[in-house]
Amino acid sequence: MKNLVASAALMLACTPLAAETVRLDWLERQLTPPPVLSNLTGDPPDLGLAGARLSLADIATTGKFLKIDWELHETVVPPEGDFLAAAQKTLAAGARVLIVRAPAADLLALADLPEAAGALIFNTAAPEPRLRNEDCRGNVLHTLPSTAMRTDALAQQLRAKRWESLALITGPQPEDRAFAVALKASLTKFGLTLAGEKDWPLTADMRRSGAAEVPLFTQDLPEHDLLLVADERGDFARYIPFNTWLPRPVAGSEGLTAKGWTEVVEDYGAAQLQVRFRQTASRPMQDADFSAWVAIAAISDARTRAGTADPATLRSFLISDKARIAAFLGQPVSFRPWDGQMRQPMPLVTERAVVAMAPLEGFLHQTNELDTLGSDRPETLCKAFGATP
């Protein structure tokens, strides 16, 4: 009998443990691209999703050692499709951790579903500051930088360079207006002022007359050190540099820009990530791809260190002081416990190079200098996260 018991114990010890399967869900709302003046650029069809797929491949190796099988279920809703119905179907099928690429309205509708109350949702596409403030949701974490983070990073650079007299051109689209509002708030935050501003006319056709239109349009702007442009669709701003009445640098949506990620980020091992992405997607990695990539990297890190894939436990770990996710940006990223926004360094870039990395030296904070970018704890309007650690 003793031999039988010993044999059974040995067989049990030698039997490999069954792998844990962790389900992740990609939920995307496709959008019909708005009309723009130039057809030179457009979003690739796999924007964001390519980053998620690469991240899944990256964590698969570690998963093998930890006996974790990661599965990514992809749901892409066409522009005319019913996003909420697709979300309900996905949740009914067992989705509990969702990486979402969708506009703010769809994101909020998903987060407010009764079926999503116990889910963990990662916003990789909607930059609106209100989603981190008065319209925040406790089950949503944000890996895409907010518009306020981008404009704060830019304002720090302007302050550091002592470009204190500024002019602003704002485009006609709602996202242009929102970017301009965030820019003005950031300028005030860092002690900068606008010498003058103008609205871009809807009737201008820059393909035909950029060299003639822009000098005339900018001629009556007051003296300034730098020209800010709010053109989030990339509609007209590309025609502004080198055509202005005064020879001034351009920043904002064109020229010097602040992004969560771009193909020119190469330091801190980022070049390796860029190469892997190009090999798998056959294109450069954009900020939307990085937001999806880092969401899955954060989930993997939290699962490994917290010891469970339970959404509530993952969320608690990620918004705690324990979370430190490697993201090829020079320092670990983490999530703010008061609004769910991922704090990260912000590359300030031109088309060909990284100019600086915000937060810049000299912009201090009592606990974390990354919190000089975007809504800090004392100014947050978010109530959904309750008492914060």
Side-chain angles (χ1 to χ4, degrees):
M1 177 63 69
K2 289 182 179 180
N3 290 337
L4 288 173
V5 172
S7 298
L10 181 61
M11 291 177 62
L12 183 62
C14 294
T15 302
L17 296 174
E20 173 193 3
T21 299
V22 178
R23 172 176 176 147
L24 305 176
D25 278 81
W26 172 264
L27 183 57
E28 176 182 354
R29 154 79 82 181
Q30 289 183 327
L31 298 176
T32 301
V36 293
L37 288 174
S38 175
N39 295 319
L40 292 177
T41 60
D43 290 340
D46 61 350
L47 183 63
L49 181 55
R53 289 169 175 169
L54 176 62
S55 194
L56 191 77
D58 287 346
I59 67 174
T61 301
T62 304
K64 289 180 181 178
F65 289 105
L66 298 176
K67 303 295 183 182
I68 301 173
D69 286 337
W70 296 95
E71 292 183 351
L72 182 65
H73 297 252
E74 301 174 9
T75 302
V76 178
V77 183
E80 68 281 1
D82 189 333
F83 179 84
L84 206 55
Q88 290 173 315
K89 184 177 180 180
T90 299
L91 290 164
R96 289 297 175 266
V97 180
L98 299 95
I99 302 95
V100 179
R101 175 168 173 76
D106 287 328
L107 179 72
L108 292 176
L110 164 64
D112 290 340
L113 285 172
E115 306 95 307
L120 180 59
I121 300 166
F122 289 83
N123 167 32
T124 70
E128 289 86 345
R130 65 183 178 89
L131 296 177
R132 290 85 168 159
N133 285 282
E134 65 271 19
D135 283 338
C136 71
R137 299 294 188 268
N139 56 351
V140 178
L141 302 182
H142 310 271
T143 54
L144 184 77
S146 68
T147 305
M149 291 174 66
R150 292 175 54 210
T151 56
D152 279 354
L154 185 60
Q156 285 191 9
Q157 176 71 355
L158 302 184
R159 176 85 269 179
K161 289 292 185 181
R162 298 185 179 180
W163 291 331
E164 299 175 0
S165 180
L166 308 165
L168 170 65
I169 297 174
T170 302
Q173 306 302 332
E175 53 266 46
D176 301 337
R177 302 290 182 187
F179 187 68
V181 168
L183 264 175
K184 292 177 183 179
S186 295
L187 297 181
T188 300
K189 178 177 178 178
F190 291 100
L192 301 167
T193 58
L194 280 177
E197 58 182 305
K198 294 187 72 173
D199 292 335
W200 186 256
L202 277 170
T203 56
D205 186 349
M206 305 312 296
R207 292 171 299 181
R208 184 183 67 249
S209 55
E213 291 273 355
V214 174
L216 291 175
F217 181 78
T218 59
Q219 184 175 6
D220 59 348
L221 285 171
E223 176 65 36
H224 53 279
D225 299 322
L226 178 139
L227 179 61
L228 294 165
V229 182
D231 174 26
E232 291 294 86
R233 293 185 184 179
D235 196 7
F236 66 88
R238 70 183 68 203
Y239 304 102
I240 300 296
F242 303 104
N243 277 324
T244 55
W245 182 257
L246 295 175
R248 297 294 183 266
V250 174
S253 299
E254 186 69 27
L256 181 67
T257 62
K259 294 181 177 291
W261 187 267
T262 175
E263 63 180 302
V264 299
V265 176
E266 296 180 327
D267 292 338
Y268 312 111
Q272 299 175 16
L273 179 61
Q274 304 279 24
V275 169
R276 293 203 310 275
F277 187 85
R278 280 185 177 274
Q279 289 173 341
T280 58
S282 300
R283 62 174 178 83
M285 192 177 203
Q286 300 185 30
D287 50 2
D289 300 306
F290 179 77
S291 296
W293 181 91
V294 78
I296 291 181
I299 296 164
S300 174
D301 185 75
R303 164 59 189 86
T304 300
R305 298 175 62 190
T308 177
D310 171 65
T313 305
L314 293 177
R315 176 189 180 277
S316 295
F317 178 86
L318 287 172
I319 64 174
S320 74
D321 292 337
K322 299 176 183 178
R324 291 291 184 271
I325 301 107
F328 304 103
L329 287 169
Q331 56 183 300
V333 302
S334 57
F335 290 84
R336 292 177 178 141
W338 56 87
D339 62 4
Q341 173 64 54
M342 188 181 80
R343 20 168 115 87
Q344 66 160 89
M346 294 291 296
L348 290 153
V349 302
T350 63
E351 185 179 1
R352 299 288 298 274
V354 175
V355 174
M357 190 75 78
L360 276 70
E361 184 177 356
F363 292 92
L364 304 178
H365 191 273
Q366 59 269 32
T367 57
N368 191 328
E369 291 178 2
L370 291 174
D371 289 334
T372 62
L373 305 174
S375 298
D376 199 3
R377 187 192 300 263
E379 61 200 33
T380 184
L381 301 176
C382 179
K383 305 298 183 184
F385 280 67
T388 58

